Amino acid sequence: MSHNVVAGGDAAAETKRRLAALAVGAIGVVYGDIGTSPLYTLQTTLSHDGMHPTPASVYGVLSLIFWAQILVVSLKYVVFIMRADNKGEGGIMALMALAQRCVREQPRLRWVLVILGIFGAALFYGDGVITPAITTLGAVEGVKVIAPGLEKWVVPITVVVLILLFLLQKHGTERVGKLFGPVMMVWFVVIALLGVNMIVRHPQVLLAINPWYGVKFFFTHGLQAFIALGGVVLALTGAEALYADMGHFGKKPIRVAWFSFVLPSLVLNYFGQGALLLMHPEAIDSPFFKLVPSALLYPMIGLATAAAVIASQSVISGAFSMTREAMSLGYSMRMPIVHTSREMSGQIFVPWVNNFLLLMVLFAVLHFGSSDRLSAAYGIAVTGTMSITTVLALIVARRQWGWKLPVVIAAGVLFLVIDLSFFSANLIKIEYGGWFPLVLGLAVFTWMTTWRRGRELVVREIKQGGLALAPFITALREHSPLRVPGTAVFLTANQHAVPHALLHNLKHNKVLHERNVLLTVEMLESPVADADERIHIDAMGDEFYGIALRFGFAEDPNVPLALSQCARAGLGFDMMDTTFFLSRENIVADKRRPGMALWRDKLFAFMARNALPATAYFQIPGNRLIELGAQVEI
């Protein structure tokens, strides 16, 4: 009896230790972005558009920040949105796939959800550009507090830090990532202590927890208060990361870390800055660093820069993961993916995306020049993605969870009124920098939709020009060509038509393999394929087989490995005796054909020429491969 109690106690202790370890990891990876928001949020909000740090504005803005953290981050994301996991995975692409599954019978609604999801994902790339720029600028700007003459060095130092950050991506974050948790824990403890140090000098600042101060702020400041929402939303940047990184850490560690550690630290620091501004309104030029005792400024700038790099890393890693999901779901051309860790499949590096982000981040730093000016560009990407996430999650709540309509409407009104208020306040900033993430988002949206539509047109052309398979097999029985030993695997999108590569082989070489397999690879709308849906084999007669291999969007499709598992179903493969045949399409844009606009046809043809070959993406060995060309007009 006592032995069982001890064993149970050990198991419980081990569970707690594991939860604590995951929570520390989540603090390092998930909360870097939102954790560095105090660097610039109050400064930006209380110094724009004629706003001054008067007691009424300080209490009002603090109240708005506090209740935004409670309603948007705590209630909406941590409690509501994180319930909408796609087999444990989070993020807007996973949520879009989940919502699509909920409306399979309604093609029009499904199409609308796809457009919303792709645009939300496109805006996330805007976030991936602005977060590294604004957080690193905000950290390095601390040198101005020490010596105003160093201001001219802020941008060069930021550029050097960011170039080093992006150059290090190819080495992976596994080794450095182990430091992320401890460094961010030190960061949150330090900013909390800095806040407490000032709050004890002016404890009346805690009155701002009362939501009436936020309401009163709107009554007294009118349009200024509405514009201030565009600054308040900076306190929420990184909320999407809570959801996107759910697959890495799980719901419970992320929730425990938020409520027990991150939220209290953020609130204490914001209120500490508010207390400082109530006593010294002139500190508005850098309220965060003016909380710091002068003797500790240099170490604090170093810690802030480390926290900014960690915040940037989480967004960059998120962009890599989202790109892989987009490729799997058919919304992006195939690109080379480098695995930087043997233990964790999620640790990946996408060179093309890395280079694109670096160029855009450097443009943002050099064009805007300060975190204050760059803040105008930040909010639109964040609030746009937040609004789309809310809509998709509400559909899941209604269709999959079975929430009653009045409950869905009530939740929708609460969350969308908040989201759209923030979004509207940021629309005012379009001419001051808000155009940047919108242009970036529209470019990525065009890129993704063009690839998706182009692939649909190519598949349609191939299917229309294909020869029916069943009569072909029947004809082979009557006029059988020479059969050579071995297995031929033909990659095809249409199991009912003769692959072009098979016809070319038969026409030019006058032979057919003993066993011929038509292989189709399908990507599912769930992150991982279940064992019972991975492989489907269809015997077509005369040693012809149709095989469908299914992979989840979070998996790396390995065709040879999956084929080796077919032996369990009675169809074994000897890879040394198997040859893969693939028709490589040469895309030709033709304005006479219906489909896309000619410029999009040309864009798709360019993408198709530069995409990673399907064989490399599916990990098919080059020495077992024969590629045959096929021209396709779209």
Side-chain angles (χ1 to χ4, degrees):
M1 181 79 173
S2 61
H3 177 75
N4 291 341
V5 171
V6 171
D10 289 346
E14 180 60 32
T15 302
K16 285 181 181 178
R17 278 196 295 272
R18 179 167 172 74
L19 178 61
L22 285 170
V24 170
I27 288 166
V29 175
V30 177
Y31 292 111
D33 193 354
I34 201 167
T36 50
S37 295
L39 282 167
Y40 45 78
T41 300
L42 266 183
Q43 174 192 346
T44 300
T45 311
L46 288 169
S47 62
H48 268 222
D49 305 296
M51 185 82 74
H52 299 288
T54 62
S57 63
V58 171
Y59 279 112
V61 168
L62 280 178
S63 185
L64 290 175
I65 288 174
F66 175 77
W67 285 101
Q69 300 272 17
I70 297 300
L71 293 174
V72 177
V73 185
S74 303
L75 184 60
K76 190 181 99 172
Y77 274 95
V78 179
V79 175
F80 171 58
I81 299 286
M82 282 179 62
R83 280 194 64 194
D85 66 300
N86 192 339
K87 289 188 178 178
E89 290 291 323
I92 196 161
M93 293 297 283
L95 182 58
M96 178 190 74
L98 184 63
Q100 279 183 276
R101 290 214 308 269
C102 295
V103 293
R104 276 184 178 148
E105 310 304 319
Q106 296 170 271
R108 284 192 179 180
L109 181 56
R110 188 181 168 90
W111 179 82
V112 169
L113 295 183
V114 167
I115 296 299
L116 279 175
I118 295 175
F119 192 63
L123 287 175
F124 182 85
Y125 285 100
D127 189 18
V129 167
I130 299 171
T131 292
I134 195 171
T135 51
T136 310
L137 272 171
V140 176
E141 280 168 356
V143 300
K144 294 190 296 184
V145 178
I146 301 170
L150 292 174
E151 184 173 355
K152 63 182 180 182
W153 291 100
V154 168
V155 169
I157 292 171
T158 301
V159 167
V160 170
V161 170
L162 288 169
I163 289 175
L164 287 173
L165 171 64
F166 280 94
L167 286 177
L168 288 171
Q169 292 302 311
K170 61 185 175 186
H171 300 295
T173 58
E174 188 178 19
R175 291 177 186 171
V176 187
K178 291 174 182 175
L179 298 173
F180 284 4
V183 169
M184 288 309 295
M185 285 192 77
V186 171
W187 167 260
F188 282 116
V189 168
V190 169
I191 67 171
L193 291 174
L194 291 172
V196 168
N197 181 46
M198 204 55 65
I199 290 169
V200 294
R201 301 184 196 184
H202 197 94
Q204 295 94 323
V205 72
L206 295 174
L207 292 171
I209 290 173
N210 186 341
W212 171 245
Y213 283 96
V215 175
K216 187 179 172 185
F217 180 57
F218 277 96
F219 284 130
T220 56
H221 286 71
L223 181 61
Q224 265 192 339
F226 179 70
I227 294 172
L229 285 177
V232 171
V233 78
L234 296 175
L236 309 176
T237 57
E240 195 71 27
L242 274 72
Y243 181 49
D245 288 318
M246 186 168 62
H248 294 150
F249 298 98
K251 299 175 188 178
K252 194 169 183 182
I254 291 175
R255 285 171 173 160
V256 167
W258 172 253
F259 285 115
S260 66
F261 191 69
V262 177
L263 177 61
S265 299
L266 290 173
V267 170
L268 288 170
N269 188 264
Y270 282 123
F271 277 68
Q273 289 186 50
L276 173 68
L277 292 173
L278 288 171
M279 294 184 288
H280 303 285
E282 69 278 5
I284 188 60
D285 59 334
S286 187
F288 178 85
F289 284 106
K290 287 187 176 176
L291 285 177
V292 184
S294 56
L296 298 176
L297 265 173
Y298 279 113
M300 192 62 202
I301 291 168
L303 180 60
T305 305
V309 166
I310 291 168
S312 305
Q313 181 60 61
S314 65
V315 176
I316 295 166
S317 298
F320 292 160
S321 297
M322 184 174 288
T323 302
R324 179 170 75 168
E325 291 178 4
M327 281 191 271
S328 296
L329 290 167
Y331 296 106
S332 170
M333 59 185 280
R334 293 180 296 271
M335 304 177 198
I337 293 177
V338 180
H339 286 267
T340 57
S341 168
R342 292 181 179 179
E343 284 78 31
M344 290 189 65
S345 63
Q347 295 271 355
I348 58 172
F349 168 62
V350 186
W352 289 14
V353 174
N354 191 65
N355 296 340
F356 169 73
L357 289 178
L358 174 59
L359 289 174
M360 291 297 101
V361 167
L362 292 179
F363 171 82
V365 169
L366 296 172
H367 178 78
F368 291 98
S370 75
S371 62
D372 191 33
R373 287 198 289 273
L374 193 52
S375 66
Y378 207 175
I380 286 182
V382 174
T383 52
T385 306
M386 281 182 173
S387 304
I388 291 168
T389 299
T390 301
V391 172
L392 295 175
L394 287 170
I395 288 170
V396 173
R398 174 70 177 145
R399 296 297 181 93
Q400 183 164 316
W401 304 343
W403 280 19
K404 288 186 166 55
L405 190 59
V407 177
V408 173
I409 291 172
V413 168
L414 173 64
F415 295 137
L416 285 174
V417 164
I418 296 171
D419 289 345
L420 295 176
S421 297
F422 282 131
F423 185 69
S424 304
N426 278 283
L427 286 177
I428 299 169
K429 300 179 183 178
I430 284 181
E431 63 177 303
Y432 305 108
W435 57 268
F436 181 60
L438 282 180
V439 169
L440 199 61
L442 284 171
V444 175
F445 178 80
T446 303
W447 181 269
M448 294 171 82
T449 52
T450 298
W451 177 259
R452 177 74 170 189
R453 180 63 179 147
R455 287 305 307 165
E456 288 174 355
L457 292 173
V458 167
V459 171
R460 188 181 73 185
E461 284 297 315
I462 291 172
K463 285 184 176 179
Q464 284 179 350
L467 185 68
L469 181 63
F472 176 79
I473 294 174
T474 304
L476 284 178
R477 293 193 188 105
E478 298 171 5
H479 309 283
S480 182
L482 177 66
R483 306 286 283 245
V484 295
T487 299
V489 177
F490 299 92
L491 273 73
T492 178
N494 186 5
Q495 293 266 350
H496 303 290
V498 183
H500 286 292
L502 192 154
L503 286 174
H504 279 292
N505 187 41
L506 190 59
K507 180 180 177 181
H508 296 291
N509 298 324
K510 306 291 190 285
V511 295
L512 203 61
H513 283 74
E514 263 181 350
R515 188 170 62 170
N516 296 276
V517 174
L518 277 65
L519 176 64
T520 302
V521 180
E522 300 173 13
M523 306 307 293
L524 303 177
E525 291 173 351
S526 53
V528 180
D530 294 332
D532 59 346
E533 62 180 347
R534 170 79 71 200
I535 300 166
H536 176 75
I537 301 173
D538 181 22
M540 299 172 171
D542 203 31
E543 287 301 300
F544 273 79
Y545 297 89
I547 297 181
L549 298 180
R550 300 182 180 92
F551 298 92
F553 61 73
E555 295 182 278
D556 293 314
N558 188 327
V559 166
L561 180 63
L563 287 178
S564 68
Q565 296 168 356
C566 290
R568 299 172 192 167
L571 191 65
F573 282 86
D574 176 5
M575 281 299 136
M576 297 307 295
D577 201 30
T578 300
T579 305
F580 292 87
F581 288 83
L582 176 69
S583 294
R584 189 173 179 84
E585 300 105 2
N586 178 32
I587 310 299
V588 178
D590 188 345
K591 63 181 179 182
R592 295 168 298 176
R593 287 180 170 270
M596 298 186 289
L598 184 61
W599 67 268
R600 288 184 73 194
D601 283 342
K602 290 181 176 179
L603 174 61
F604 175 71
F606 169 79
M607 293 161 75
R609 282 195 303 273
N610 290 280
L612 184 72
T615 48
Y617 183 66
F618 295 136
Q619 302 181 52
I620 295 171
N623 61 350
R624 310 299 315 154
L625 173 68
I626 295 175
E627 283 190 315
L628 299 164
Q631 184 165 300
V632 180
E633 294 182 350
I634 60 169

